[in-house]
Amino acid sequence: MEFLQKNLIYFIPLLGLIGIIVMAIKSAWVNKQDAGDAKMQELAGYIADGAMAFLKAEWRVLSIFVVFTAALLAYSGNVHEVNGVALHSSWIIAIAFIIGAVFSATAGYIGMKAATKANVRTTQAARTSLSKALKVSFTGGTVMGLGVAGLAILGLGGLFIVFLKVFNVIEANSTEMRTAIEVLTGFSLGAESIALFARVGGGIYTKAADVGADLVGKVEAGIPEDDVRNPATIADNVGDNVGDVAGMGADLFGSYVATILATMVLGQEIIVEKLNGVAIDQLNGFSPVLLPMVICGLGILFSIVGTWFVRIKGEDSNVQTALNLGNWSSIVLTAIACYFIVMFMLPPHLHLRGVDFTNLDVYYAILVGLVVGTLMSIITEYYTAMGKGPVNSIIQQSGTGHATNIIGGLSVGMKSTVAPILVLAGGIIFSYSFAGLYGVAIAAAGMMATTAMQLAIDAFGPIADNAGGIAEMSQLPPEVRERTDNLDAVGNTTAATGKGFAIASAALTSLALFAAFVGVAGIDAIDIYKAPVLAGLFVGAMIPFIFSALCIAAVGKAAMDMVQEVRRQFREIPGIMEYKAKPEYEKCVAISTKASIREMMLPGAIALLTPIIVGFGLKNVFPAVSSAEILGGLLAGVTVSGVLMGIFQSNAGGAWDNAKKSFEKGVKINGELFYKGSEPHKASVTGDTVGDPFKDTSGPSMNILIKLMSIVSLVIAPYIAVSVVPEMKLSQEIRKEIRVMKTIDANGIEKIDTLKNLLDTISVKR
């Protein structure tokens, strides 16, 4: 036990390494599976080449951004004082930023590579059985889930150990520790920056191709989805990989890191009581900082165990039930293990910003986070799954045309915000009541602990979608497509629940980051009674709208180019419809690639630059209000508006998509059966087309937007911090130091010897 206590910090990156090793084993298994005949392999090759071409083009642009931003961070890290206030940073933050960016891009690459290997092998497996197809597609998703979580824990845990050595950190509540964590925020900033561009760029790519393929192929030409004659079908399948796989991988990598970091920042403020000069947690006071990394690291192991339960027996087995069983098992295991982890690591009593709580309270907060994540998945599944009331309502409204289908989808999306927001509100209240702001942060960490499993379930969907596309293009027997469609329909729901999970974690994480920002910036509260702060609140609430508008408009522009190209090829290349000529797939791939790279820049710039403009541009503009407080108002507006927009758009798009897919097996509208090709089906295709950018571009980007703006604000907080601390706040901190720094000598007599600590506190606060 003593060995574990002394070396616990070194086990954290080891847990990440275990995840990567298991990922490599599963990746090797996928690669060994049969890839089908020559035609299937040729089509899969087109998809893999297109996906890699996009990533290379994106990386070329983002490498310039990374180098430029790293240079700015290195310069700012050498500034050690602003307005007489000491800063706790270092030029090493630039290195952390670059590593975070590289790891985030690598996480997306691992997912994309695994998906483009698993898609054709899932198609081949579907020629045998549904069970084999699920095993191949889910294992491909597991590669991505373990790769993302493993890289995050390995990178964050490894860097933290390095920074403790570099900055000679001895005590958790020290200036050196603040410097180490401040520099570590660079890792999260790099991860979230790449995640935003990957998510937005990938989303624009996939939806431009999807909309173009649907409007001309299915609606105008009347050919099936993923028909080999459609010039945009390869670009559409490439989009599934670069958007829903590489984009989602980078997205959840950033979320994972940001959640852990926010908890660490607040944990560093907790002062662990000492007995005879030794912290009673036996971890030298580091336990509140290390706890989120340990929980998420062990979550990787429980996610691996959860994958063992994802099994089905026959063709009539319920795939969704199998996935739910794996997910719930990993959550239950995490809940049980967290009790022992928390009791082992944390001292009995803790204190943060005027709130006293116990280690058991922290465990209850973790349980709240797990419950919130589970409820968010259940609610999202209800609003987006086939056969449920919301999707059925859209189907019924498709019977009266395109307009009523659109009205129905918008209504479902708006209604779907009510239950998740109430769950989030309850989660925030309960977790705060248990352990204050640390409780909110650790609840988010508990929710994110099973990210590897969540991401495996999420990534399985695009793999199954690609498998169906390859089956259609290869003109395989109908039963193959039926099996892949079964997986794809479930995949649509799991993708939607994954987005609900991501936005829920973003809401809790953003509140924790917001609390960390307030502490670092030296402000006590965000007073919206002050006009500039209220103005910042309104501007912040507007940002998700303009961000979404830019993303949706980008999809619209690229889709128009795609439609024109597909129409041209149908018109100018004779023999396409008769299978006598091969379409020019590469031209459609090029259209999506160029459009996505071009259009992703402005939304990304808004997220990155707005906090900087407000924080530095409004500094000293209003004598009675600091720019830090105005920026706090901006963040509050972005968070609330962004969470609502994210839930609304993701759920509306998911419901529209499954309403369209329901026609493949036939639906009853007013007692009459309708199938693909009918007028109600065409109305559902229109709804799905509108929902595509909602659910795959702007909607899922909301959670990155609100976290990235919070992280940027946290990074610049020391440079815009309030320089004068109110006397009452200072006296509270002094009293806290006196209370916790008492010691007992060898004769059992209490002694209070805190003069040095008292002076240190005064100098730090001033």
Side-chain angles (χ1 to χ4, degrees), residues 435-473:
L437 291 170
Y438 188 75
V440 177
I442 204 68
M447 185 191 305
M448 294 297 292
T450 58
T451 290
M453 186 64 189
Q454 294 285 345
L455 199 46
I457 294 172
D458 200 320
F460 130 88
I463 292 172
D465 193 1
N466 260 209
I470 293 171
E472 183 71 45
M473 289 186 284

Side-chain angles (χ1 to χ4, degrees), residues 386-400 405 408 655-656 658-663 666-669 674 680-681 683-684:
M386 293 170 64
K388 304 292 187 183
V391 170
N392 286 338
S393 70
I394 298 174
I395 292 170
Q396 296 302 312
Q397 292 182 77
S398 300
T400 50
N405 173 281
W656 265 317
N658 273 339
K660 177 203 69 175
K661 286 191 178 297
S662 299
F663 282 88
V667 298
K668 270 190 177 182
I669 302 177
F674 292 92
H681 174 251
S684 73

Side-chain angles (χ1 to χ4, degrees), residues 257-277:
V257 170
T259 301
I260 296 172
L261 180 71
T263 315
M264 292 173 69
V265 172
L266 291 172
Q268 188 267 333
E269 293 186 34
I270 296 175
I271 300 176
V272 176
E273 293 189 32
K274 293 184 178 181
L275 185 64
N276 294 326

Side-chain angles (χ1 to χ4, degrees), residues 184-213:
L184 197 60
T185 59
F187 183 79
S188 182
L189 179 61
E192 288 286 8
S193 300
I194 297 301
L196 181 67
F197 288 113
R199 180 51 111 172
V200 173
I204 294 170
Y205 186 111
T206 183
K207 292 303 107 180
D210 197 1
V211 170

Side-chain angles (χ1 to χ4, degrees), residues 29 62 70 97 107 128 134 179 190 247 380 428 476 478 481 563 659 665 691 761:
W29 181 87
L62 292 183
F97 173 80
T128 304
L134 172 62
T179 302
T380 306
I428 291 169
L476 297 181
R481 185 67 203 237
V563 166
K665 293 184 178 180
T761 303

Side-chain angles (χ1 to χ4, degrees), residues 65-85:
F65 160 77
V66 168
V67 170
F68 178 75
T69 306
L72 289 178
L73 288 171
Y75 171 77
S76 65
N78 284 318
V79 178
H80 300 297
E81 184 179 299
V82 174
N83 294 333
V85 179

Side-chain angles (χ1 to χ4, degrees), residues 68 94 120 157 266 307 394 461 469 482 547 571 576 585 599 605 619 637 641 645 650 653 682 718 739:
F68 178 75
V120 68
L266 291 172
T307 62
I394 298 174
E482 287 175 11
F547 185 93
R571 185 175 61 249
I576 285 184
Y585 300 122
E599 301 292 342
K619 193 173 184 180
S641 177
M645 285 287 285
S650 295
K682 290 180 180 177
R739 183 178 68 85

